Amino acid sequence: MVRVTVWNENRHEQKNPVVRDIYPEGIHGAIAAFLQDEFEVRTATLDEPEHGLTDEVLQSTDVLVWWGHLAHGEVSDEVVEKVKQRVLDGMGLIVLHSGHFSKIFKTLMGTSCDLKWREADDKERLWVVDPSHPIVDGIGEYIELQREEMYGEHFDIPAPDQLVFVSWFTGGEVFRSGCTYQRGNGRIFYFRPGHETYPTYHNKEIQRVIANAVKWAQPVDRKRPVYGNAKALENGGN
Amino acid sequence: MVRVTVWNENRHEQKNPVVRDIYPEGIHGAIAAFLQDEFEVRTATLDEPEHGLTDEVLQSTDVLVWWGHLAHGEVSDEVVEKVKQRVLDGMGLIVLHSGHFSKIFKTLMGTSCDLKWREADDKERLWVVDPSHPIVDGIGEYIELQREEMYGEHFDIPAPDQLVFVSWFTGGEVFRSGCTYQRGNGRIFYFRPGHETYPTYHNKEIQRVIANAVKWAQPVDRKRPVYGNAKALENGGN
Amino acid sequence: MVRVTVWNENRHEQKNPVVRDIYPEGIHGAIAAFLQDEFEVRTATLDEPEHGLTDEVLQSTDVLVWWGHLAHGEVSDEVVEKVKQRVLDGMGLIVLHSGHFSKIFKTLMGTSCDLKWREADDKERLWVVDPSHPIVDGIGEYIELQREEMYGEHFDIPAPDQLVFVSWFTGGEVFRSGCTYQRGNGRIFYFRPGHETYPTYHNKEIQRVIANAVKWAQPVDRKRPVYGNAKALENGGN
Amino acid sequence: MVRVTVWNENRHEQKNPVVRDIYPEGIHGAIAAFLQDEFEVRTATLDEPEHGLTDEVLQSTDVLVWWGHLAHGEVSDEVVEKVKQRVLDGMGLIVLHSGHFSKIFKTLMGTSCDLKWREADDKERLWVVDPSHPIVDGIGEYIELQREEMYGEHFDIPAPDQLVFVSWFTGGEVFRSGCTYQRGNGRIFYFRPGHETYPTYHNKEIQRVIANAVKWAQPVDRKRPVYGNAKALENGGN
């Protein structure tokens, strides 16, 4: 059974009653709840020791789900480096919404990961542009969210290996809202929706996409390749 | 359980005792044999009515494996068109070795699919260049085949969506030997090895790759998107 | 100097006074007019012998621009095959708007190339999603067209090698509206705008994109690779 | 005229007479020499103040060529950050050979950029796998280098946006030796050959590839996109 750790900054929930009302168990709690039928799920949050991401937790995590926003800067560089190493070693990583600006996503992408944004109750319609992808198993032509924060292009990311969703927003913007990446032995999925003041993670289709992504991102059974000085495999080698 | 149909031209096996000795049940029989532990497997061959690919067979096939060489021209255009439609509708397609020149592969790629070749007992070493891909689950850094036909670049294909293997050959050539493509709702994997006069499909690692590819290529649970004239989803639409 | 041939079906212009008023010299004439400052430009139309695409014309064309809509079926398969061969040999191809359903585009893509559409004066906003691409040289963050036909996802194409533009439409749809592909020695750009009843090709930014695309698609100085039986380059080859 | 800065660590040349004999003007001098016919060329080296990469130099550089090996760790993080920013702002970057382990390449890729290597006079044959790419303009089917250091897969990089060359080595390895990437407004080309003890940069075909890459990587005429809080472009926006 795939072992999932849902990481959440868990700050809005402490400060903002609107968020707490929507997510009484925290965003991590809400995500863990809908994943636990299919996966072995734990949660971890910023204010725990080592942000809840000890070596032991990371080593026993197949797929890490990441939600952060206010406090990206408080995540320790050491933990970020460990998470990055685990991704390169094969751990899957699902980065949600404002996690686009997390240290872990930026260091894995190599770009600014900047974008346009607006908190104004835009409608978001996420169109499926790769109907063959396992991440959209069971999903219709699009997912409609009546109210969400707007994220607009240009989104400063490397061209995705696979572009799965493109969002339409009321205010006139588009966004590459579902993007996959391969890094080392690991696979990464960025998924846009999930502003803290909307009940996005209670939406069944959004839940389905995240669950599909966890399955898709689970590690393959392989060791890291051997790097460094190598003897010739053929006699012809000098 | 994923339903696999293994299609084979089945001509070399009739004409050439060397091939028959290696594959007494035909190449299709050998492939079906190692797939049947994990999948529901049928075979179909060129000389059956409709090449064994009736509407009923195609409709109940999740993943089609294709081996052809001598008789690409004898495959009816009507059957090719039906197979293409099924791929666009979601059926997975695994094209093996000389299938690079099959009508179905060429029509799905849009290019000549030509390449360099040599039958001269070259050694082939297939290096994994995407260690995160489910198709290489359980596979080491490379697969070594002591003797194979050489296929060399330039291989006239569209740039693969994902490049999984690159082959080294004794004679000085390289080849993109494991390539994935997305077409419509369907996924395609081209896998190079498998010349009829070598026991390649008895190799356990080659078998593992093909079984992994079948899993990877299985259809997602989705209808084809709706195409054609569309009403506006928003009032702002004129 | 890059030699461009602008091909147009040229039927709407004959039948529809609205179109004729917008494009008195035909769509081909309008496109040729803005390209001729930078390139050596000819036009060709459906009703000419061999559709104006004789061997001589094709051999002396570096980049072919294609606009068709009503009469895709009247384009002869023989001419399509010749154009395809020229693309694989290195000729650039710019496919505009309803050319998505042309025989030449469909055969090069290998998919249905189907999409959603609506003629309803939607506003189109083409967002640049690859700001590093030479095709968007001199273009701002987006191009806005006050009225255009809507094309919506899912667009049944292979994942583009490079996705340059994504369109937003008033009615709630998005579209991958600027897509590049590599096929053989040739490069292809699909560019969505240009419905015949709107003055889209008089828009300076649209003109700039098409001119940029012509430059980008010009052939490299290379022969086609050698295909077929190949002698070993190394003694180690058996 | 494209303004090129060739950056070199310039340490082997000081320490090793073999290298000095091959490159009496330094590797940077050799590269600058063959680029200066077509471009406006400067050089910069590690031991200059700010490594020769002052704000003024960076601001007036269209394409930066990078060779480093022994002293990646001595390149200041501040300079690396400025170079990265310039790439995202549109400056082209050509990373050569052992530059795969440079800070600037690793931070732009987000992976370890590790690989296999061997100094053993392997023959390298770089096969062109994208014959449509401007970087291989004027180049034949492959480039052959009689002696080079071997670099072998797995090369721990993101899947290239475009894979242009794949190398064959005598000892049995392959390598993705010509790779393009888009990052922000900038374009990057990694090109494998160029070990300091071989006269690789005196090879006319290698020179041609690097010159082609400079042309390809020159900035487009665009400002960086606008990021951050954005007003709605449509009234429908809330």
Side-chain angles (χ1 to χ4, degrees):
Chain A
M1 194 176 242
V2 180
R3 299 163 300 173
V4 181
T5 301
V6 180
W7 190 90
N8 181 20
E9 180 183 287
N10 195 28
R11 289 281 171 84
H12 289 289
E13 294 90 332
Q14 312 309 315
K15 297 179 179 184
N16 187 340
V18 174
V19 179
R20 199 161 48 235
D21 282 358
I22 300 173
Y23 298 115
E25 310 298 325
I27 287 175
H28 54 295
I31 293 174
F34 67 75
L35 291 177
Q36 68 188 2
D37 289 343
E38 294 183 87
F39 310 107
E40 188 183 318
V41 185
R42 276 181 301 207
T43 63
T45 54
L46 179 63
D47 291 327
E48 297 174 45
E50 301 180 53
H51 314 319
L53 298 173
T54 60
D55 289 351
E56 197 192 339
V57 167
L58 285 173
Q59 289 304 323
S60 57
T61 297
D62 294 317
V63 180
L64 180 64
V65 179
W66 193 276
W67 199 101
H69 185 209
L70 290 176
H72 293 314
E74 294 180 43
V75 178
S76 91
D77 291 343
E78 194 188 344
V79 167
V80 171
E81 185 53 36
K82 283 181 186 178
V83 172
K84 179 177 178 178
Q85 196 52 52
R86 275 290 294 144
V87 171
L88 297 181
D89 287 349
M91 183 179 74
L93 178 67
I94 315 293
V95 176
L96 296 173
H97 189 62
S98 42
H100 75 91
F101 250 1
S102 62
K103 289 182 181 178
I104 183 60
F105 190 61
K106 291 202 292 184
T107 191
L108 283 162
M109 294 296 104
T111 54
S112 76
C113 300
D114 213 340
L115 46 75
K116 289 185 170 62
W117 59 271
R118 178 175 61 245
E119 297 184 53
D121 293 349
D122 279 76
K123 183 188 289 186
E124 177 176 15
R125 185 176 290 110
L126 298 103
W127 286 93
V128 174
V129 298
D130 181 354
S132 76
H133 205 285
I135 284 178
V136 291
D137 188 87
I139 300 296
E141 292 205 276
Y142 56 80
I143 299 173
E144 207 170 284
L145 299 169
Q146 289 308 310
R147 292 177 184 205
E148 252 292 354
E149 184 181 4
M150 184 285 293
Y151 278 7
E153 296 282 347
H154 179 247
F155 185 18
D156 188 23
I157 47 171
D161 292 342
Q162 299 164 316
L163 180 61
V164 182
F165 289 102
V166 171
S167 286
W168 177 99
F169 289 96
T170 323
E173 295 86 2
V174 298
F175 196 73
R176 288 169 293 170
S177 49
C179 300
T180 80
Y181 295 95
Q182 170 268 327
R183 291 291 181 272
N185 278 24
R187 278 180 282 164
I188 301 167
F189 182 58
Y190 174 78
F191 190 45
R192 198 213 77 85
H195 188 64
E196 66 274 4
T197 60
Y198 303 108
T200 299
Y201 298 121
H202 296 312
N203 178 298
K204 294 295 177 195
E205 290 169 300
I206 297 296
Q207 294 178 358
R208 176 75 183 254
V209 169
I210 295 172
N212 287 343
V214 165
K215 275 181 233 165
W216 170 84
Q218 67 181 283
V220 295
D221 174 23
R222 304 189 84 241
K223 290 183 189 151
R224 278 284 269 173
V226 177
Y227 298 110
N229 190 238
K231 286 190 183 166
L233 297 162
E234 300 294 322
N235 292 332
N238 300 291
Chain B
M1 192 177 245
V2 181
R3 299 163 300 173
V4 181
T5 301
V6 180
W7 190 90
N8 181 20
E9 181 183 287
N10 195 28
R11 288 283 171 83
H12 288 289
E13 294 89 332
Q14 312 309 315
K15 295 180 180 183
N16 187 340
V18 173
V19 179
R20 199 161 51 234
D21 281 358
I22 299 172
Y23 298 115
E25 310 300 324
I27 286 173
H28 53 293
I31 293 172
F34 68 75
L35 291 177
Q36 69 187 1
D37 289 343
E38 294 183 88
F39 310 106
E40 187 183 317
V41 186
R42 273 181 305 206
T43 63
T45 55
L46 180 62
D47 292 328
E48 297 175 46
E50 300 180 53
H51 314 320
L53 298 173
T54 61
D55 288 352
E56 197 193 338
V57 167
L58 286 173
Q59 290 304 324
S60 57
T61 297
D62 295 316
V63 180
L64 179 64
V65 179
W66 193 277
W67 199 101
H69 184 209
L70 291 176
H72 293 315
E74 294 181 42
V75 178
S76 91
D77 291 343
E78 195 190 343
V79 168
V80 171
E81 187 52 38
K82 284 181 185 177
V83 172
K84 179 177 177 178
Q85 197 51 53
R86 276 289 295 144
V87 171
L88 297 180
D89 286 349
M91 183 179 73
L93 178 67
I94 315 294
V95 176
L96 297 173
H97 189 62
S98 41
H100 75 91
F101 250 1
S102 61
K103 288 181 180 177
I104 183 61
F105 191 61
K106 291 201 292 184
T107 191
L108 283 162
M109 295 296 105
T111 53
S112 75
C113 300
D114 213 340
L115 46 76
K116 288 184 170 63
W117 59 272
R118 180 174 60 245
E119 297 185 52
D121 293 349
D122 278 76
K123 183 188 287 186
E124 176 176 14
R125 184 176 292 110
L126 297 105
W127 286 93
V128 173
V129 298
D130 181 353
S132 76
H133 205 286
I135 285 179
V136 292
D137 188 86
I139 300 296
E141 292 204 277
Y142 56 81
I143 300 173
E144 206 170 284
L145 299 170
Q146 289 308 309
R147 292 177 183 203
E148 251 292 355
E149 186 182 4
M150 184 282 295
Y151 278 8
E153 295 284 346
H154 175 247
F155 184 18
D156 188 23
I157 47 172
D161 291 343
Q162 299 163 317
L163 179 62
V164 183
F165 289 102
V166 172
S167 286
W168 177 99
F169 289 96
T170 323
E173 294 87 2
V174 298
F175 196 75
R176 289 169 291 170
S177 49
C179 300
T180 79
Y181 295 95
Q182 172 267 329
R183 291 290 181 273
N185 279 23
R187 277 178 284 165
I188 301 167
F189 181 57
Y190 174 78
F191 191 43
R192 199 214 75 85
H195 188 63
E196 66 275 4
T197 60
Y198 302 108
T200 298
Y201 297 121
H202 296 312
N203 178 298
K204 293 296 176 195
E205 290 169 300
I206 296 297
Q207 293 178 359
R208 176 75 183 255
V209 169
I210 295 172
N212 287 344
V214 165
K215 275 181 232 164
W216 170 84
Q218 66 181 284
V220 296
D221 175 22
R222 305 190 80 241
K223 289 183 191 152
R224 278 283 268 172
V226 176
Y227 299 109
N229 191 237
K231 286 190 183 166
L233 297 162
E234 300 293 323
N235 292 332
N238 300 291
Chain C
M1 194 177 243
V2 181
R3 299 163 300 173
V4 181
T5 300
V6 180
W7 190 90
N8 181 21
E9 180 183 287
N10 195 29
R11 288 282 173 84
H12 289 289
E13 294 89 333
Q14 312 310 315
K15 296 180 180 184
N16 187 341
V18 174
V19 179
R20 200 161 48 233
D21 281 358
I22 300 173
Y23 297 116
E25 311 299 325
I27 288 175
H28 54 294
I31 294 173
F34 68 74
L35 291 177
Q36 68 188 2
D37 289 343
E38 293 183 89
F39 310 106
E40 186 183 317
V41 186
R42 273 180 305 205
T43 63
T45 54
L46 180 63
D47 292 327
E48 298 174 46
E50 301 181 52
H51 314 319
L53 298 173
T54 60
D55 289 351
E56 198 192 337
V57 167
L58 286 174
Q59 289 303 324
S60 57
T61 297
D62 294 318
V63 179
L64 180 64
V65 179
W66 192 277
W67 198 100
H69 184 210
L70 291 176
H72 293 314
E74 294 180 42
V75 178
S76 91
D77 291 342
E78 195 188 342
V79 167
V80 171
E81 186 53 37
K82 283 181 186 177
V83 173
K84 178 177 178 178
Q85 196 53 52
R86 275 290 295 145
V87 171
L88 297 181
D89 286 349
M91 182 180 74
L93 179 67
I94 314 294
V95 176
L96 296 173
H97 190 61
S98 43
H100 76 90
F101 250 1
S102 62
K103 288 181 181 177
I104 183 61
F105 190 61
K106 291 202 293 185
T107 191
L108 283 162
M109 295 295 105
T111 54
S112 76
C113 300
D114 214 340
L115 46 75
K116 288 184 171 62
W117 59 272
R118 178 176 60 246
E119 296 185 53
D121 293 348
D122 278 77
K123 183 187 289 186
E124 176 176 15
R125 186 176 291 111
L126 298 104
W127 286 93
V128 174
V129 298
D130 181 355
S132 76
H133 205 287
I135 284 179
V136 292
D137 188 87
I139 300 296
E141 292 206 278
Y142 55 81
I143 300 172
E144 207 170 283
L145 299 170
Q146 289 308 310
R147 294 179 181 201
E148 252 291 355
E149 185 182 3
M150 184 283 294
Y151 279 7
E153 296 282 346
H154 176 249
F155 185 16
D156 187 24
I157 47 171
D161 292 343
Q162 299 164 316
L163 180 62
V164 183
F165 288 103
V166 172
S167 285
W168 177 99
F169 289 96
T170 324
E173 295 86 1
V174 298
F175 196 73
R176 289 169 291 171
S177 49
C179 300
T180 79
Y181 294 95
Q182 171 268 328
R183 292 292 182 272
N185 279 24
R187 277 179 284 165
I188 301 167
F189 182 57
Y190 174 78
F191 190 44
R192 198 212 76 84
H195 189 63
E196 65 274 4
T197 60
Y198 303 108
T200 299
Y201 297 120
H202 296 312
N203 179 297
K204 294 296 177 195
E205 289 169 301
I206 297 297
Q207 294 178 359
R208 176 74 183 255
V209 170
I210 295 171
N212 287 343
V214 166
K215 275 181 232 164
W216 170 84
Q218 66 182 284
V220 296
D221 174 22
R222 305 190 81 242
K223 290 185 189 148
R224 278 283 269 173
V226 178
Y227 298 110
N229 190 238
K231 286 190 182 166
L233 296 163
E234 298 295 322
N235 292 332
N238 299 291
Chain D
M1 192 176 243
V2 181
R3 299 163 300 173
V4 180
T5 301
V6 180
W7 190 90
N8 181 20
E9 180 184 288
N10 195 28
R11 288 283 172 84
H12 289 288
E13 294 89 333
Q14 312 309 315
K15 295 180 180 183
N16 186 340
V18 173
V19 179
R20 197 159 53 233
D21 282 358
I22 300 172
Y23 298 115
E25 311 299 325
I27 287 174
H28 54 294
I31 293 173
F34 69 74
L35 291 177
Q36 69 187 3
D37 289 342
E38 293 182 89
F39 310 106
E40 187 183 317
V41 186
R42 274 181 304 205
T43 63
T45 54
L46 180 63
D47 292 328
E48 297 174 45
E50 300 181 54
H51 314 320
L53 298 172
T54 60
D55 288 350
E56 196 192 340
V57 167
L58 285 173
Q59 289 304 323
S60 58
T61 296
D62 295 316
V63 179
L64 179 64
V65 179
W66 193 277
W67 199 102
H69 184 208
L70 290 176
H72 293 314
E74 295 180 42
V75 178
S76 91
D77 290 343
E78 193 188 344
V79 168
V80 170
E81 187 52 37
K82 284 181 185 177
V83 173
K84 178 177 177 177
Q85 197 52 52
R86 275 289 295 144
V87 171
L88 297 180
D89 286 350
M91 182 180 72
L93 178 67
I94 315 292
V95 176
L96 296 173
H97 188 63
S98 42
H100 75 92
F101 250 2
S102 62
K103 288 181 180 177
I104 183 60
F105 190 61
K106 291 202 292 184
T107 191
L108 283 162
M109 295 295 105
T111 53
S112 76
C113 300
D114 213 340
L115 46 76
K116 289 184 170 61
W117 59 272
R118 178 175 60 245
E119 297 184 53
D121 292 350
D122 278 76
K123 183 188 287 186
E124 176 176 14
R125 185 176 291 110
L126 297 105
W127 287 93
V128 174
V129 299
D130 181 353
S132 75
H133 205 286
I135 285 180
V136 292
D137 187 87
I139 300 296
E141 292 205 277
Y142 55 81
I143 299 173
E144 206 171 286
L145 299 170
Q146 290 308 310
R147 293 177 182 203
E148 252 291 355
E149 185 181 4
M150 184 284 294
Y151 278 8
E153 296 282 345
H154 178 246
F155 184 18
D156 188 23
I157 47 172
D161 291 343
Q162 298 164 315
L163 179 62
V164 183
F165 288 102
V166 171
S167 286
W168 177 99
F169 289 96
T170 324
E173 295 86 2
V174 299
F175 196 73
R176 288 169 290 170
S177 48
C179 300
T180 79
Y181 295 94
Q182 171 269 330
R183 292 290 181 275
N185 279 23
R187 277 178 284 164
I188 301 167
F189 181 57
Y190 174 78
F191 191 43
R192 197 213 77 83
H195 188 63
E196 66 275 5
T197 60
Y198 303 108
T200 298
Y201 297 121
H202 296 312
N203 178 298
K204 293 296 175 194
E205 290 170 300
I206 296 298
Q207 293 178 0
R208 176 75 184 255
V209 169
I210 295 171
N212 287 344
V214 166
K215 275 181 233 164
W216 170 84
Q218 66 182 283
V220 296
D221 174 22
R222 305 189 83 240
K223 288 182 191 153
R224 278 284 269 175
V226 177
Y227 299 109
N229 191 238
K231 286 190 182 166
L233 297 163
E234 300 293 323
N235 292 332
N238 300 288

Short mmCIF file of all heavy atoms in Angstrom, two decimals, chain A residues 134-151:
data_model
loop_
_atom_site.label_atom_id
_atom_site.label_comp_id
_atom_site.label_asym_id
_atom_site.label_seq_id
_atom_site.Cartn_x
_atom_site.Cartn_y
_atom_site.Cartn_z
N PRO A 134 -3.21 8.99 -16.72
CA PRO A 134 -3.86 8.33 -15.56
C PRO A 134 -4.31 9.31 -14.48
O PRO A 134 -5.19 8.97 -13.69
CB PRO A 134 -2.76 7.39 -15.03
CG PRO A 134 -1.50 7.74 -15.74
CD PRO A 134 -1.88 8.47 -17.00
N ILE A 135 -3.77 10.51 -14.47
CA ILE A 135 -4.18 11.49 -13.46
C ILE A 135 -5.61 11.98 -13.71
O ILE A 135 -6.27 12.46 -12.78
CB ILE A 135 -3.15 12.66 -13.41
CG1 ILE A 135 -1.88 12.19 -12.67
CG2 ILE A 135 -3.73 13.90 -12.75
CD1 ILE A 135 -0.76 13.21 -12.57
N VAL A 136 -6.12 11.83 -14.93
CA VAL A 136 -7.50 12.26 -15.19
C VAL A 136 -8.46 11.07 -15.33
O VAL A 136 -9.57 11.21 -15.86
CB VAL A 136 -7.60 13.20 -16.41
CG1 VAL A 136 -6.94 14.53 -16.08
CG2 VAL A 136 -6.98 12.58 -17.67
N ASP A 137 -8.04 9.93 -14.84
CA ASP A 137 -8.93 8.76 -14.82
C ASP A 137 -10.21 9.11 -14.06
O ASP A 137 -10.16 9.62 -12.93
CB ASP A 137 -8.20 7.60 -14.12
CG ASP A 137 -8.96 6.30 -14.21
OD1 ASP A 137 -8.79 5.57 -15.20
OD2 ASP A 137 -9.73 6.01 -13.26
N GLY A 138 -11.34 8.89 -14.70
CA GLY A 138 -12.62 9.15 -14.05
C GLY A 138 -13.08 10.59 -14.05
O GLY A 138 -14.14 10.90 -13.49
N ILE A 139 -12.31 11.46 -14.67
CA ILE A 139 -12.64 12.89 -14.70
C ILE A 139 -13.27 13.23 -16.06
O ILE A 139 -12.85 12.71 -17.09
CB ILE A 139 -11.34 13.73 -14.49
CG1 ILE A 139 -10.70 13.41 -13.14
CG2 ILE A 139 -11.62 15.23 -14.62
CD1 ILE A 139 -11.53 13.77 -11.94
N GLY A 140 -14.24 14.14 -16.05
CA GLY A 140 -14.90 14.56 -17.29
C GLY A 140 -14.04 15.51 -18.09
O GLY A 140 -12.83 15.61 -17.88
N GLU A 141 -14.67 16.24 -19.00
CA GLU A 141 -13.90 17.13 -19.87
C GLU A 141 -13.26 18.28 -19.12
O GLU A 141 -12.24 18.81 -19.53
CB GLU A 141 -14.81 17.68 -20.96
CG GLU A 141 -15.25 16.61 -21.93
CD GLU A 141 -15.61 17.25 -23.24
OE1 GLU A 141 -16.77 17.72 -23.36
OE2 GLU A 141 -14.76 17.29 -24.14
N TYR A 142 -13.92 18.69 -18.06
CA TYR A 142 -13.34 19.76 -17.25
C TYR A 142 -13.86 19.66 -15.82
O TYR A 142 -14.85 18.95 -15.56
CB TYR A 142 -13.65 21.15 -17.83
CG TYR A 142 -15.12 21.43 -18.04
CD1 TYR A 142 -15.94 21.81 -16.98
CD2 TYR A 142 -15.69 21.30 -19.30
CE1 TYR A 142 -17.29 22.06 -17.17
CE2 TYR A 142 -17.04 21.54 -19.51
CZ TYR A 142 -17.84 21.92 -18.44
OH TYR A 142 -19.18 22.17 -18.62
N ILE A 143 -13.19 20.34 -14.93
CA ILE A 143 -13.64 20.48 -13.55
C ILE A 143 -13.98 21.95 -13.35
O ILE A 143 -13.19 22.83 -13.75
CB ILE A 143 -12.54 20.07 -12.55
CG1 ILE A 143 -12.16 18.61 -12.77
CG2 ILE A 143 -12.98 20.30 -11.11
CD1 ILE A 143 -10.95 18.16 -11.95
N GLU A 144 -15.13 22.22 -12.75
CA GLU A 144 -15.54 23.61 -12.56
C GLU A 144 -15.54 23.93 -11.08
O GLU A 144 -16.13 23.21 -10.27
CB GLU A 144 -16.94 23.78 -13.15
CG GLU A 144 -17.25 25.18 -13.60
CD GLU A 144 -18.54 25.23 -14.40
OE1 GLU A 144 -18.54 24.82 -15.57
OE2 GLU A 144 -19.55 25.66 -13.82
N LEU A 145 -14.87 25.01 -10.74
CA LEU A 145 -14.86 25.49 -9.35
C LEU A 145 -15.50 26.86 -9.35
O LEU A 145 -15.02 27.78 -10.01
CB LEU A 145 -13.42 25.55 -8.83
CG LEU A 145 -12.68 24.21 -8.82
CD1 LEU A 145 -11.19 24.40 -8.54
CD2 LEU A 145 -13.30 23.25 -7.80
N GLN A 146 -16.58 27.00 -8.61
CA GLN A 146 -17.36 28.24 -8.68
C GLN A 146 -16.57 29.46 -8.21
O GLN A 146 -16.75 30.56 -8.72
CB GLN A 146 -18.67 28.11 -7.89
CG GLN A 146 -19.67 27.18 -8.56
CD GLN A 146 -19.91 27.53 -10.03
OE1 GLN A 146 -20.19 28.68 -10.36
NE2 GLN A 146 -19.78 26.55 -10.93
N ARG A 147 -15.73 29.25 -7.22
CA ARG A 147 -14.93 30.36 -6.71
C ARG A 147 -13.53 29.86 -6.36
O ARG A 147 -13.39 28.89 -5.60
CB ARG A 147 -15.57 30.96 -5.46
CG ARG A 147 -16.87 31.66 -5.75
CD ARG A 147 -17.50 32.16 -4.49
NE ARG A 147 -18.80 32.75 -4.81
CZ ARG A 147 -19.39 33.67 -4.07
NH1 ARG A 147 -18.80 34.09 -2.95
NH2 ARG A 147 -20.56 34.16 -4.42
N GLU A 148 -12.58 30.55 -6.87
CA GLU A 148 -11.19 30.23 -6.55
C GLU A 148 -10.35 31.48 -6.70
O GLU A 148 -10.78 32.45 -7.35
CB GLU A 148 -10.65 29.12 -7.47
CG GLU A 148 -10.46 27.74 -6.84
CD GLU A 148 -9.33 27.69 -5.81
OE1 GLU A 148 -8.60 28.70 -5.64
OE2 GLU A 148 -9.20 26.65 -5.15
N GLU A 149 -9.18 31.45 -6.11
CA GLU A 149 -8.19 32.47 -6.40
C GLU A 149 -7.76 32.26 -7.86
O GLU A 149 -7.68 31.13 -8.34
CB GLU A 149 -6.98 32.29 -5.47
CG GLU A 149 -5.94 33.37 -5.65
CD GLU A 149 -4.73 33.17 -4.73
OE1 GLU A 149 -4.68 32.14 -4.03
OE2 GLU A 149 -3.85 34.04 -4.73
N MET A 150 -7.49 33.37 -8.54
CA MET A 150 -6.98 33.27 -9.90
C MET A 150 -5.46 33.16 -9.89
O MET A 150 -4.80 33.88 -9.14
CB MET A 150 -7.41 34.53 -10.69
CG MET A 150 -7.04 34.54 -12.16
SD MET A 150 -5.30 34.87 -12.59
CE MET A 150 -5.12 36.59 -12.06
N TYR A 151 -4.93 32.23 -10.67
CA TYR A 151 -3.50 32.21 -11.00
C TYR A 151 -3.42 32.34 -12.52
O TYR A 151 -4.09 31.56 -13.23
CB TYR A 151 -2.84 30.88 -10.63
CG TYR A 151 -2.42 30.71 -9.18
CD1 TYR A 151 -2.75 31.64 -8.20
CD2 TYR A 151 -1.68 29.60 -8.79
CE1 TYR A 151 -2.35 31.45 -6.88
CE2 TYR A 151 -1.28 29.41 -7.49
CZ TYR A 151 -1.62 30.33 -6.53
OH TYR A 151 -1.23 30.14 -5.22
#
